[in-house]
Amino acid sequence: MRDTRESRLLLVLLIAIAFALITVDIRGGEESPVDGARQAAATVLGPVENGVAAAVDPVGNAIGAVRDSGDRHDRIAALEQENAALKTKLGSDDRNASKVRQLDTMLRSAGAGQYGIKGAEVIAIGAAQGFSWTITIDAGAHDGLKRDMTVLNGEGLVGRVTTVGPNTATVLLANDPDFTVGTRMEKTDELGFATGQGSRPLSVQFLNGKADVKKGDRLVTFGSSGDKPFVPGVPVGEVVRVDPSGGDLTRTVHVRPYVGFTKLDIVGIVVQAPREDPRDMVLPKQAKKPEKPKPTPTVTVMVQPNGDLVDGSGKVVGNINEKPGASASPGASPDASGNADTAAGDAANEQELS
């Protein structure tokens, strides 16, 4: 196209239309009028993204082996069998070994929480329809995925499904500024709401402004009505900073998420919620802090002119003139006798030297 006045006007018009659509989409939120167009784009572009992912990743199809987690009653056994089968299929090179580790951790976490999950692989990051923190996964409506399903991995909460195409889906990540999830603190059950802050820690507002929160406390999802968009018990993160309440009705803390949002690869979509809230069962076990060694008590012994050995309380515990192996003076304890023998030997050596 030649650089003419008409081409410049067309370019300006297209840019204006693009900004207008972005503004309408952002203001519309989940009920955006362009949501239909977004789903149509997912339908058209999803197979292309899948094809590219399949071309560059020879083990992408193997993820399908973990799509179904089995019947509820045999969930954990089925997950372990699927994991073993995947290890055999994926091989032993470095990249595939990493996938095996991620799958193993995710399946164990799903088993601990009794979540029925469908495995998927991240095939794209970001989104053409906005500037949100999102990923595209290689599973969609044909795999039973629906909007507002919880997404997790072996580390914790990844996000929630926002758009579903036939073979792909878009996931809004938990660190997106538009992402909010109800949280519950381990042990104390204090409730709050976590909001994404991009590359910074999550901001969590506790409903109780006087909540006893300290660095290192851990949070899980509280769960939603009908388990959508969030199932309960999914690990969220760990408190790294606590802001003073200042008399406010709520209290804000900063939480480092367990999930590394810049290195996502294998994820699981919860298609079947647990019958009961797993509470803190999915949280990793914390290593016990090593106990401080107990201080060894010291006994001070003084030598009297007559050779008696006297401890700090004035009690006679021995005599330097006693022969080695002789019993301690009456009333001396076995420990004190041992200390007395040692002190007597030292005193005798000092006399020989002098």
PDB file of all heavy atoms in Angstrom, residues 262-301:
ATOM      1  N   THR A 262       5.659 -17.468  35.804  1.00  0.00           N
ATOM      2  CA  THR A 262       6.446 -17.249  34.585  1.00  0.00           C
ATOM      3  C   THR A 262       7.039 -18.539  34.029  1.00  0.00           C
ATOM      4  O   THR A 262       7.706 -18.516  33.000  1.00  0.00           O
ATOM      5  CB  THR A 262       7.588 -16.257  34.866  1.00  0.00           C
ATOM      6  OG1 THR A 262       8.430 -16.793  35.906  1.00  0.00           O
ATOM      7  CG2 THR A 262       7.041 -14.907  35.300  1.00  0.00           C
ATOM      8  N   LYS A 263       6.814 -19.662  34.691  1.00  0.00           N
ATOM      9  CA  LYS A 263       7.390 -20.935  34.223  1.00  0.00           C
ATOM     10  C   LYS A 263       6.371 -22.072  34.286  1.00  0.00           C
ATOM     11  O   LYS A 263       6.699 -23.199  34.645  1.00  0.00           O
ATOM     12  CB  LYS A 263       8.626 -21.285  35.058  1.00  0.00           C
ATOM     13  CG  LYS A 263       8.392 -21.261  36.571  1.00  0.00           C
ATOM     14  CD  LYS A 263       9.664 -21.562  37.329  1.00  0.00           C
ATOM     15  CE  LYS A 263       9.418 -21.539  38.843  1.00  0.00           C
ATOM     16  NZ  LYS A 263      10.644 -21.847  39.604  1.00  0.00           N
ATOM     17  N   LEU A 264       5.124 -21.751  33.917  1.00  0.00           N
ATOM     18  CA  LEU A 264       4.071 -22.763  33.915  1.00  0.00           C
ATOM     19  C   LEU A 264       4.221 -23.685  32.710  1.00  0.00           C
ATOM     20  O   LEU A 264       4.545 -23.246  31.608  1.00  0.00           O
ATOM     21  CB  LEU A 264       2.697 -22.089  33.891  1.00  0.00           C
ATOM     22  CG  LEU A 264       2.294 -21.345  35.172  1.00  0.00           C
ATOM     23  CD1 LEU A 264       1.038 -20.529  34.933  1.00  0.00           C
ATOM     24  CD2 LEU A 264       2.078 -22.328  36.316  1.00  0.00           C
ATOM     25  N   ASP A 265       3.944 -24.962  32.909  1.00  0.00           N
ATOM     26  CA  ASP A 265       4.046 -25.939  31.835  1.00  0.00           C
ATOM     27  C   ASP A 265       2.880 -26.930  31.886  1.00  0.00           C
ATOM     28  O   ASP A 265       2.048 -26.968  30.992  1.00  0.00           O
ATOM     29  CB  ASP A 265       5.380 -26.675  31.938  1.00  0.00           C
ATOM     30  CG  ASP A 265       5.677 -27.502  30.697  1.00  0.00           C
ATOM     31  OD1 ASP A 265       4.865 -27.462  29.750  1.00  0.00           O
ATOM     32  OD2 ASP A 265       6.711 -28.197  30.671  1.00  0.00           O
ATOM     33  N   ILE A 266       2.797 -27.711  32.957  1.00  0.00           N
ATOM     34  CA  ILE A 266       1.723 -28.688  33.128  1.00  0.00           C
ATOM     35  C   ILE A 266       0.755 -28.196  34.194  1.00  0.00           C
ATOM     36  O   ILE A 266       1.174 -27.807  35.293  1.00  0.00           O
ATOM     37  CB  ILE A 266       2.282 -30.066  33.543  1.00  0.00           C
ATOM     38  CG1 ILE A 266       3.346 -30.528  32.551  1.00  0.00           C
ATOM     39  CG2 ILE A 266       1.162 -31.093  33.638  1.00  0.00           C
ATOM     40  CD1 ILE A 266       2.851 -30.719  31.143  1.00  0.00           C
ATOM     41  N   VAL A 267      -0.530 -28.185  33.895  1.00  0.00           N
ATOM     42  CA  VAL A 267      -1.543 -27.738  34.849  1.00  0.00           C
ATOM     43  C   VAL A 267      -2.684 -28.750  34.878  1.00  0.00           C
ATOM     44  O   VAL A 267      -2.806 -29.614  34.002  1.00  0.00           O
ATOM     45  CB  VAL A 267      -2.095 -26.340  34.489  1.00  0.00           C
ATOM     46  CG1 VAL A 267      -0.994 -25.293  34.532  1.00  0.00           C
ATOM     47  CG2 VAL A 267      -2.772 -26.359  33.120  1.00  0.00           C
ATOM     48  N   GLY A 268      -3.532 -28.629  35.893  1.00  0.00           N
ATOM     49  CA  GLY A 268      -4.700 -29.493  36.012  1.00  0.00           C
ATOM     50  C   GLY A 268      -5.949 -28.656  36.227  1.00  0.00           C
ATOM     51  O   GLY A 268      -5.939 -27.703  37.014  1.00  0.00           O
ATOM     52  N   ILE A 269      -7.015 -29.004  35.535  1.00  0.00           N
ATOM     53  CA  ILE A 269      -8.295 -28.302  35.682  1.00  0.00           C
ATOM     54  C   ILE A 269      -9.207 -29.172  36.532  1.00  0.00           C
ATOM     55  O   ILE A 269      -9.420 -30.351  36.215  1.00  0.00           O
ATOM     56  CB  ILE A 269      -8.946 -28.017  34.308  1.00  0.00           C
ATOM     57  CG1 ILE A 269      -8.001 -27.189  33.440  1.00  0.00           C
ATOM     58  CG2 ILE A 269     -10.268 -27.280  34.495  1.00  0.00           C
ATOM     59  CD1 ILE A 269      -7.050 -28.005  32.623  1.00  0.00           C
ATOM     60  N   VAL A 270      -9.742 -28.614  37.611  1.00  0.00           N
ATOM     61  CA  VAL A 270     -10.599 -29.378  38.521  1.00  0.00           C
ATOM     62  C   VAL A 270     -11.986 -29.495  37.902  1.00  0.00           C
ATOM     63  O   VAL A 270     -12.733 -28.517  37.839  1.00  0.00           O
ATOM     64  CB  VAL A 270     -10.676 -28.717  39.908  1.00  0.00           C
ATOM     65  CG1 VAL A 270     -11.562 -29.548  40.840  1.00  0.00           C
ATOM     66  CG2 VAL A 270      -9.279 -28.570  40.508  1.00  0.00           C
ATOM     67  N   VAL A 271     -12.320 -30.693  37.447  1.00  0.00           N
ATOM     68  CA  VAL A 271     -13.631 -30.936  36.843  1.00  0.00           C
ATOM     69  C   VAL A 271     -14.577 -31.634  37.817  1.00  0.00           C
ATOM     70  O   VAL A 271     -15.771 -31.747  37.547  1.00  0.00           O
ATOM     71  CB  VAL A 271     -13.493 -31.787  35.558  1.00  0.00           C
ATOM     72  CG1 VAL A 271     -12.724 -31.027  34.502  1.00  0.00           C
ATOM     73  CG2 VAL A 271     -12.820 -33.120  35.864  1.00  0.00           C
ATOM     74  N   GLN A 272     -14.042 -32.092  38.947  1.00  0.00           N
ATOM     75  CA  GLN A 272     -14.866 -32.736  39.959  1.00  0.00           C
ATOM     76  C   GLN A 272     -14.375 -32.285  41.328  1.00  0.00           C
ATOM     77  O   GLN A 272     -13.249 -32.567  41.722  1.00  0.00           O
ATOM     78  CB  GLN A 272     -14.787 -34.258  39.838  1.00  0.00           C
ATOM     79  CG  GLN A 272     -15.767 -34.992  40.744  1.00  0.00           C
ATOM     80  CD  GLN A 272     -15.704 -36.489  40.532  1.00  0.00           C
ATOM     81  OE1 GLN A 272     -14.632 -37.055  40.312  1.00  0.00           O
ATOM     82  NE2 GLN A 272     -16.840 -37.152  40.611  1.00  0.00           N
ATOM     83  N   ALA A 273     -15.225 -31.568  42.059  1.00  0.00           N
ATOM     84  CA  ALA A 273     -14.853 -31.041  43.370  1.00  0.00           C
ATOM     85  C   ALA A 273     -14.840 -32.165  44.402  1.00  0.00           C
ATOM     86  O   ALA A 273     -15.526 -33.179  44.242  1.00  0.00           O
ATOM     87  CB  ALA A 273     -15.838 -29.953  43.793  1.00  0.00           C
ATOM     88  N   PRO A 274     -14.088 -31.999  45.505  1.00  0.00           N
ATOM     89  CA  PRO A 274     -14.079 -33.027  46.547  1.00  0.00           C
ATOM     90  C   PRO A 274     -15.395 -33.049  47.307  1.00  0.00           C
ATOM     91  O   PRO A 274     -16.105 -32.045  47.379  1.00  0.00           O
ATOM     92  CB  PRO A 274     -12.917 -32.587  47.451  1.00  0.00           C
ATOM     93  CG  PRO A 274     -12.830 -31.106  47.254  1.00  0.00           C
ATOM     94  CD  PRO A 274     -13.198 -30.866  45.821  1.00  0.00           C
ATOM     95  N   ARG A 275     -15.738 -34.207  47.868  1.00  0.00           N
ATOM     96  CA  ARG A 275     -16.967 -34.310  48.646  1.00  0.00           C
ATOM     97  C   ARG A 275     -16.881 -33.481  49.925  1.00  0.00           C
ATOM     98  O   ARG A 275     -17.859 -32.903  50.368  1.00  0.00           O
ATOM     99  CB  ARG A 275     -17.225 -35.773  49.017  1.00  0.00           C
ATOM    100  CG  ARG A 275     -17.728 -36.618  47.844  1.00  0.00           C
ATOM    101  CD  ARG A 275     -18.069 -38.008  48.301  1.00  0.00           C
ATOM    102  NE  ARG A 275     -18.634 -38.798  47.218  1.00  0.00           N
ATOM    103  CZ  ARG A 275     -19.001 -40.073  47.353  1.00  0.00           C
ATOM    104  NH1 ARG A 275     -18.839 -40.683  48.524  1.00  0.00           N
ATOM    105  NH2 ARG A 275     -19.517 -40.721  46.328  1.00  0.00           N
ATOM    106  N   GLU A 276     -15.688 -33.449  50.520  1.00  0.00           N
ATOM    107  CA  GLU A 276     -15.481 -32.699  51.755  1.00  0.00           C
ATOM    108  C   GLU A 276     -14.306 -31.745  51.572  1.00  0.00           C
ATOM    109  O   GLU A 276     -13.390 -32.002  50.787  1.00  0.00           O
ATOM    110  CB  GLU A 276     -15.211 -33.648  52.927  1.00  0.00           C
ATOM    111  CG  GLU A 276     -16.378 -34.574  53.252  1.00  0.00           C
ATOM    112  CD  GLU A 276     -16.065 -35.481  54.425  1.00  0.00           C
ATOM    113  OE1 GLU A 276     -14.922 -35.432  54.932  1.00  0.00           O
ATOM    114  OE2 GLU A 276     -16.960 -36.241  54.850  1.00  0.00           O
ATOM    115  N   ASP A 277     -14.350 -30.658  52.315  1.00  0.00           N
ATOM    116  CA  ASP A 277     -13.264 -29.684  52.285  1.00  0.00           C
ATOM    117  C   ASP A 277     -11.981 -30.361  52.789  1.00  0.00           C
ATOM    118  O   ASP A 277     -11.935 -30.851  53.920  1.00  0.00           O
ATOM    119  CB  ASP A 277     -13.620 -28.495  53.189  1.00  0.00           C
ATOM    120  CG  ASP A 277     -12.611 -27.365  53.099  1.00  0.00           C
ATOM    121  OD1 ASP A 277     -11.502 -27.582  52.572  1.00  0.00           O
ATOM    122  OD2 ASP A 277     -12.933 -26.257  53.578  1.00  0.00           O
ATOM    123  N   PRO A 278     -10.933 -30.400  51.971  1.00  0.00           N
ATOM    124  CA  PRO A 278      -9.690 -31.036  52.423  1.00  0.00           C
ATOM    125  C   PRO A 278      -8.938 -30.239  53.479  1.00  0.00           C
ATOM    126  O   PRO A 278      -7.901 -30.704  53.984  1.00  0.00           O
ATOM    127  CB  PRO A 278      -8.871 -31.155  51.133  1.00  0.00           C
ATOM    128  CG  PRO A 278      -9.385 -30.077  50.253  1.00  0.00           C
ATOM    129  CD  PRO A 278     -10.846 -29.954  50.574  1.00  0.00           C
ATOM    130  N   ARG A 279      -9.444 -29.054  53.796  1.00  0.00           N
ATOM    131  CA  ARG A 279      -8.800 -28.200  54.806  1.00  0.00           C
ATOM    132  C   ARG A 279      -7.328 -27.937  54.442  1.00  0.00           C
ATOM    133  O   ARG A 279      -7.045 -27.356  53.408  1.00  0.00           O
ATOM    134  CB  ARG A 279      -8.920 -28.829  56.195  1.00  0.00           C
ATOM    135  CG  ARG A 279     -10.345 -29.171  56.604  1.00  0.00           C
ATOM    136  CD  ARG A 279     -11.183 -27.955  56.866  1.00  0.00           C
ATOM    137  NE  ARG A 279     -10.703 -27.187  58.007  1.00  0.00           N
ATOM    138  CZ  ARG A 279     -11.221 -26.038  58.389  1.00  0.00           C
ATOM    139  NH1 ARG A 279     -12.251 -25.520  57.705  1.00  0.00           N
ATOM    140  NH2 ARG A 279     -10.745 -25.382  59.412  1.00  0.00           N
ATOM    141  N   ASP A 280      -6.400 -28.394  55.292  1.00  0.00           N
ATOM    142  CA  ASP A 280      -4.982 -28.109  55.068  1.00  0.00           C
ATOM    143  C   ASP A 280      -4.223 -29.326  54.554  1.00  0.00           C
ATOM    144  O   ASP A 280      -2.992 -29.354  54.582  1.00  0.00           O
ATOM    145  CB  ASP A 280      -4.330 -27.618  56.369  1.00  0.00           C
ATOM    146  CG  ASP A 280      -5.043 -26.406  56.945  1.00  0.00           C
ATOM    147  OD1 ASP A 280      -5.540 -25.594  56.148  1.00  0.00           O
ATOM    148  OD2 ASP A 280      -5.110 -26.280  58.185  1.00  0.00           O
ATOM    149  N   MET A 281      -4.952 -30.340  54.072  1.00  0.00           N
ATOM    150  CA  MET A 281      -4.318 -31.592  53.674  1.00  0.00           C
ATOM    151  C   MET A 281      -3.409 -31.436  52.456  1.00  0.00           C
ATOM    152  O   MET A 281      -2.463 -32.200  52.284  1.00  0.00           O
ATOM    153  CB  MET A 281      -5.394 -32.637  53.366  1.00  0.00           C
ATOM    154  CG  MET A 281      -6.210 -33.059  54.572  1.00  0.00           C
ATOM    155  SD  MET A 281      -5.198 -33.890  55.822  1.00  0.00           S
ATOM    156  CE  MET A 281      -4.741 -35.371  54.928  1.00  0.00           C
ATOM    157  N   VAL A 282      -3.680 -30.469  51.587  1.00  0.00           N
ATOM    158  CA  VAL A 282      -2.894 -30.329  50.355  1.00  0.00           C
ATOM    159  C   VAL A 282      -1.618 -29.522  50.589  1.00  0.00           C
ATOM    160  O   VAL A 282      -0.689 -29.585  49.782  1.00  0.00           O
ATOM    161  CB  VAL A 282      -3.745 -29.690  49.242  1.00  0.00           C
ATOM    162  CG1 VAL A 282      -3.034 -29.741  47.905  1.00  0.00           C
ATOM    163  CG2 VAL A 282      -5.092 -30.408  49.121  1.00  0.00           C
ATOM    164  N   LEU A 283      -1.556 -28.765  51.669  1.00  0.00           N
ATOM    165  CA  LEU A 283      -0.352 -27.995  51.972  1.00  0.00           C
ATOM    166  C   LEU A 283       0.836 -28.936  52.188  1.00  0.00           C
ATOM    167  O   LEU A 283       0.690 -29.998  52.788  1.00  0.00           O
ATOM    168  CB  LEU A 283      -0.565 -27.148  53.236  1.00  0.00           C
ATOM    169  CG  LEU A 283      -1.391 -25.874  53.081  1.00  0.00           C
ATOM    170  CD1 LEU A 283      -1.733 -25.299  54.446  1.00  0.00           C
ATOM    171  CD2 LEU A 283      -0.660 -24.838  52.240  1.00  0.00           C
ATOM    172  N   PRO A 284       2.014 -28.547  51.696  1.00  0.00           N
ATOM    173  CA  PRO A 284       3.196 -29.406  51.915  1.00  0.00           C
ATOM    174  C   PRO A 284       3.558 -29.447  53.394  1.00  0.00           C
ATOM    175  O   PRO A 284       3.327 -28.493  54.139  1.00  0.00           O
ATOM    176  CB  PRO A 284       4.284 -28.715  51.087  1.00  0.00           C
ATOM    177  CG  PRO A 284       3.840 -27.283  50.979  1.00  0.00           C
ATOM    178  CD  PRO A 284       2.333 -27.326  50.932  1.00  0.00           C
ATOM    179  N   LYS A 285       4.107 -30.587  53.794  1.00  0.00           N
ATOM    180  CA  LYS A 285       4.528 -30.728  55.195  1.00  0.00           C
ATOM    181  C   LYS A 285       5.721 -29.824  55.465  1.00  0.00           C
ATOM    182  O   LYS A 285       6.650 -29.753  54.676  1.00  0.00           O
ATOM    183  CB  LYS A 285       4.887 -32.178  55.502  1.00  0.00           C
ATOM    184  CG  LYS A 285       3.698 -33.123  55.440  1.00  0.00           C
ATOM    185  CD  LYS A 285       4.119 -34.534  55.825  1.00  0.00           C
ATOM    186  CE  LYS A 285       2.918 -35.476  55.784  1.00  0.00           C
ATOM    187  NZ  LYS A 285       3.310 -36.869  56.152  1.00  0.00           N
ATOM    188  N   GLN A 286       5.651 -29.132  56.591  1.00  0.00           N
ATOM    189  CA  GLN A 286       6.732 -28.233  56.963  1.00  0.00           C
ATOM    190  C   GLN A 286       7.824 -28.996  57.694  1.00  0.00           C
ATOM    191  O   GLN A 286       7.547 -29.856  58.535  1.00  0.00           O
ATOM    192  CB  GLN A 286       6.210 -27.092  57.845  1.00  0.00           C
ATOM    193  CG  GLN A 286       5.340 -26.082  57.107  1.00  0.00           C
ATOM    194  CD  GLN A 286       4.859 -24.964  58.016  1.00  0.00           C
ATOM    195  OE1 GLN A 286       4.346 -25.218  59.096  1.00  0.00           O
ATOM    196  NE2 GLN A 286       5.011 -23.734  57.578  1.00  0.00           N
ATOM    197  N   ALA A 287       9.073 -28.687  57.348  1.00  0.00           N
ATOM    198  CA  ALA A 287      10.199 -29.326  58.018  1.00  0.00           C
ATOM    199  C   ALA A 287      10.309 -28.827  59.454  1.00  0.00           C
ATOM    200  O   ALA A 287      10.130 -27.639  59.723  1.00  0.00           O
ATOM    201  CB  ALA A 287      11.494 -29.039  57.254  1.00  0.00           C
ATOM    202  N   LYS A 288      10.572 -29.752  60.354  1.00  0.00           N
ATOM    203  CA  LYS A 288      10.705 -29.381  61.759  1.00  0.00           C
ATOM    204  C   LYS A 288      12.009 -28.622  61.977  1.00  0.00           C
ATOM    205  O   LYS A 288      13.054 -28.980  61.448  1.00  0.00           O
ATOM    206  CB  LYS A 288      10.684 -30.628  62.648  1.00  0.00           C
ATOM    207  CG  LYS A 288       9.345 -31.350  62.650  1.00  0.00           C
ATOM    208  CD  LYS A 288       9.383 -32.533  63.610  1.00  0.00           C
ATOM    209  CE  LYS A 288       8.024 -33.234  63.647  1.00  0.00           C
ATOM    210  NZ  LYS A 288       8.054 -34.400  64.576  1.00  0.00           N
ATOM    211  N   LYS A 289      11.926 -27.567  62.776  1.00  0.00           N
ATOM    212  CA  LYS A 289      13.118 -26.792  63.089  1.00  0.00           C
ATOM    213  C   LYS A 289      14.002 -27.589  64.049  1.00  0.00           C
ATOM    214  O   LYS A 289      13.511 -28.208  64.991  1.00  0.00           O
ATOM    215  CB  LYS A 289      12.734 -25.453  63.729  1.00  0.00           C
ATOM    216  CG  LYS A 289      11.959 -24.534  62.798  1.00  0.00           C
ATOM    217  CD  LYS A 289      11.634 -23.222  63.497  1.00  0.00           C
ATOM    218  CE  LYS A 289      10.867 -22.291  62.564  1.00  0.00           C
ATOM    219  NZ  LYS A 289      10.534 -21.012  63.224  1.00  0.00           N
ATOM    220  N   PRO A 290      15.320 -27.612  63.808  1.00  0.00           N
ATOM    221  CA  PRO A 290      16.209 -28.370  64.703  1.00  0.00           C
ATOM    222  C   PRO A 290      16.200 -27.792  66.106  1.00  0.00           C
ATOM    223  O   PRO A 290      16.191 -26.572  66.298  1.00  0.00           O
ATOM    224  CB  PRO A 290      17.590 -28.208  64.041  1.00  0.00           C
ATOM    225  CG  PRO A 290      17.471 -26.975  63.193  1.00  0.00           C
ATOM    226  CD  PRO A 290      16.048 -26.922  62.734  1.00  0.00           C
ATOM    227  N   GLU A 291      16.154 -28.682  67.080  1.00  0.00           N
ATOM    228  CA  GLU A 291      16.142 -28.241  68.472  1.00  0.00           C
ATOM    229  C   GLU A 291      17.517 -27.721  68.871  1.00  0.00           C
ATOM    230  O   GLU A 291      18.551 -28.259  68.478  1.00  0.00           O
ATOM    231  CB  GLU A 291      15.746 -29.398  69.386  1.00  0.00           C
ATOM    232  CG  GLU A 291      14.336 -29.908  69.160  1.00  0.00           C
ATOM    233  CD  GLU A 291      13.973 -31.008  70.129  1.00  0.00           C
ATOM    234  OE1 GLU A 291      14.849 -31.358  70.963  1.00  0.00           O
ATOM    235  OE2 GLU A 291      12.846 -31.510  70.074  1.00  0.00           O
ATOM    236  N   LYS A 292      17.507 -26.654  69.666  1.00  0.00           N
ATOM    237  CA  LYS A 292      18.761 -26.089  70.152  1.00  0.00           C
ATOM    238  C   LYS A 292      19.369 -27.020  71.199  1.00  0.00           C
ATOM    239  O   LYS A 292      18.650 -27.531  72.062  1.00  0.00           O
ATOM    240  CB  LYS A 292      18.521 -24.705  70.757  1.00  0.00           C
ATOM    241  CG  LYS A 292      18.069 -23.664  69.748  1.00  0.00           C
ATOM    242  CD  LYS A 292      17.889 -22.305  70.426  1.00  0.00           C
ATOM    243  CE  LYS A 292      17.447 -21.261  69.406  1.00  0.00           C
ATOM    244  NZ  LYS A 292      17.268 -19.937  70.050  1.00  0.00           N
ATOM    245  N   PRO A 293      20.675 -27.277  71.123  1.00  0.00           N
ATOM    246  CA  PRO A 293      21.295 -28.170  72.115  1.00  0.00           C
ATOM    247  C   PRO A 293      21.213 -27.570  73.515  1.00  0.00           C
ATOM    248  O   PRO A 293      21.387 -26.365  73.713  1.00  0.00           O
ATOM    249  CB  PRO A 293      22.748 -28.277  71.637  1.00  0.00           C
ATOM    250  CG  PRO A 293      22.974 -27.053  70.797  1.00  0.00           C
ATOM    251  CD  PRO A 293      21.654 -26.752  70.158  1.00  0.00           C
ATOM    252  N   LYS A 294      20.923 -28.445  74.481  1.00  0.00           N
ATOM    253  CA  LYS A 294      20.837 -27.978  75.865  1.00  0.00           C
ATOM    254  C   LYS A 294      22.230 -27.678  76.398  1.00  0.00           C
ATOM    255  O   LYS A 294      23.172 -28.437  76.155  1.00  0.00           O
ATOM    256  CB  LYS A 294      20.159 -29.034  76.728  1.00  0.00           C
ATOM    257  CG  LYS A 294      18.710 -29.308  76.327  1.00  0.00           C
ATOM    258  CD  LYS A 294      18.098 -30.355  77.245  1.00  0.00           C
ATOM    259  CE  LYS A 294      16.646 -30.606  76.845  1.00  0.00           C
ATOM    260  NZ  LYS A 294      16.005 -31.645  77.721  1.00  0.00           N
ATOM    261  N   PRO A 295      22.390 -26.579  77.127  1.00  0.00           N
ATOM    262  CA  PRO A 295      23.719 -26.243  77.671  1.00  0.00           C
ATOM    263  C   PRO A 295      24.181 -27.265  78.700  1.00  0.00           C
ATOM    264  O   PRO A 295      23.384 -27.773  79.490  1.00  0.00           O
ATOM    265  CB  PRO A 295      23.503 -24.854  78.309  1.00  0.00           C
ATOM    266  CG  PRO A 295      22.038 -24.803  78.600  1.00  0.00           C
ATOM    267  CD  PRO A 295      21.365 -25.581  77.512  1.00  0.00           C
ATOM    268  N   THR A 296      25.479 -27.602  78.665  1.00  0.00           N
ATOM    269  CA  THR A 296      26.045 -28.554  79.625  1.00  0.00           C
ATOM    270  C   THR A 296      26.358 -27.831  80.932  1.00  0.00           C
ATOM    271  O   THR A 296      27.065 -26.818  80.934  1.00  0.00           O
ATOM    272  CB  THR A 296      27.339 -29.166  79.058  1.00  0.00           C
ATOM    273  OG1 THR A 296      27.048 -29.770  77.800  1.00  0.00           O
ATOM    274  CG2 THR A 296      27.904 -30.200  80.019  1.00  0.00           C
ATOM    275  N   PRO A 297      25.801 -28.329  82.063  1.00  0.00           N
ATOM    276  CA  PRO A 297      26.055 -27.658  83.346  1.00  0.00           C
ATOM    277  C   PRO A 297      27.524 -27.787  83.741  1.00  0.00           C
ATOM    278  O   PRO A 297      28.164 -28.815  83.522  1.00  0.00           O
ATOM    279  CB  PRO A 297      25.143 -28.410  84.319  1.00  0.00           C
ATOM    280  CG  PRO A 297      24.913 -29.745  83.687  1.00  0.00           C
ATOM    281  CD  PRO A 297      24.919 -29.506  82.207  1.00  0.00           C
ATOM    282  N   THR A 298      28.080 -26.724  84.309  1.00  0.00           N
ATOM    283  CA  THR A 298      29.474 -26.720  84.772  1.00  0.00           C
ATOM    284  C   THR A 298      29.512 -26.683  86.298  1.00  0.00           C
ATOM    285  O   THR A 298      28.646 -26.070  86.927  1.00  0.00           O
ATOM    286  CB  THR A 298      30.224 -25.503  84.221  1.00  0.00           C
ATOM    287  OG1 THR A 298      29.513 -24.306  84.612  1.00  0.00           O
ATOM    288  CG2 THR A 298      30.282 -25.547  82.705  1.00  0.00           C
ATOM    289  N   VAL A 299      30.481 -27.379  86.864  1.00  0.00           N
ATOM    290  CA  VAL A 299      30.628 -27.436  88.316  1.00  0.00           C
ATOM    291  C   VAL A 299      31.977 -26.835  88.695  1.00  0.00           C
ATOM    292  O   VAL A 299      33.016 -27.256  88.172  1.00  0.00           O
ATOM    293  CB  VAL A 299      30.534 -28.889  88.840  1.00  0.00           C
ATOM    294  CG1 VAL A 299      30.702 -28.919  90.349  1.00  0.00           C
ATOM    295  CG2 VAL A 299      29.201 -29.511  88.436  1.00  0.00           C
ATOM    296  N   THR A 300      31.954 -25.845  89.556  1.00  0.00           N
ATOM    297  CA  THR A 300      33.185 -25.203  90.031  1.00  0.00           C
ATOM    298  C   THR A 300      33.615 -25.859  91.343  1.00  0.00           C
ATOM    299  O   THR A 300      32.821 -25.955  92.288  1.00  0.00           O
ATOM    300  CB  THR A 300      32.979 -23.706  90.264  1.00  0.00           C
ATOM    301  OG1 THR A 300      32.530 -23.114  89.046  1.00  0.00           O
ATOM    302  CG2 THR A 300      34.267 -23.043  90.716  1.00  0.00           C
ATOM    303  N   VAL A 301      34.867 -26.350  91.391  1.00  0.00           N
ATOM    304  CA  VAL A 301      35.382 -27.042  92.575  1.00  0.00           C
ATOM    305  C   VAL A 301      36.616 -26.299  93.075  1.00  0.00           C
ATOM    306  O   VAL A 301      37.487 -25.935  92.287  1.00  0.00           O
ATOM    307  CB  VAL A 301      35.722 -28.513  92.252  1.00  0.00           C
ATOM    308  CG1 VAL A 301      36.288 -29.198  93.483  1.00  0.00           C
ATOM    309  CG2 VAL A 301      34.495 -29.250  91.742  1.00  0.00           C
TER     310      VAL A 301
END
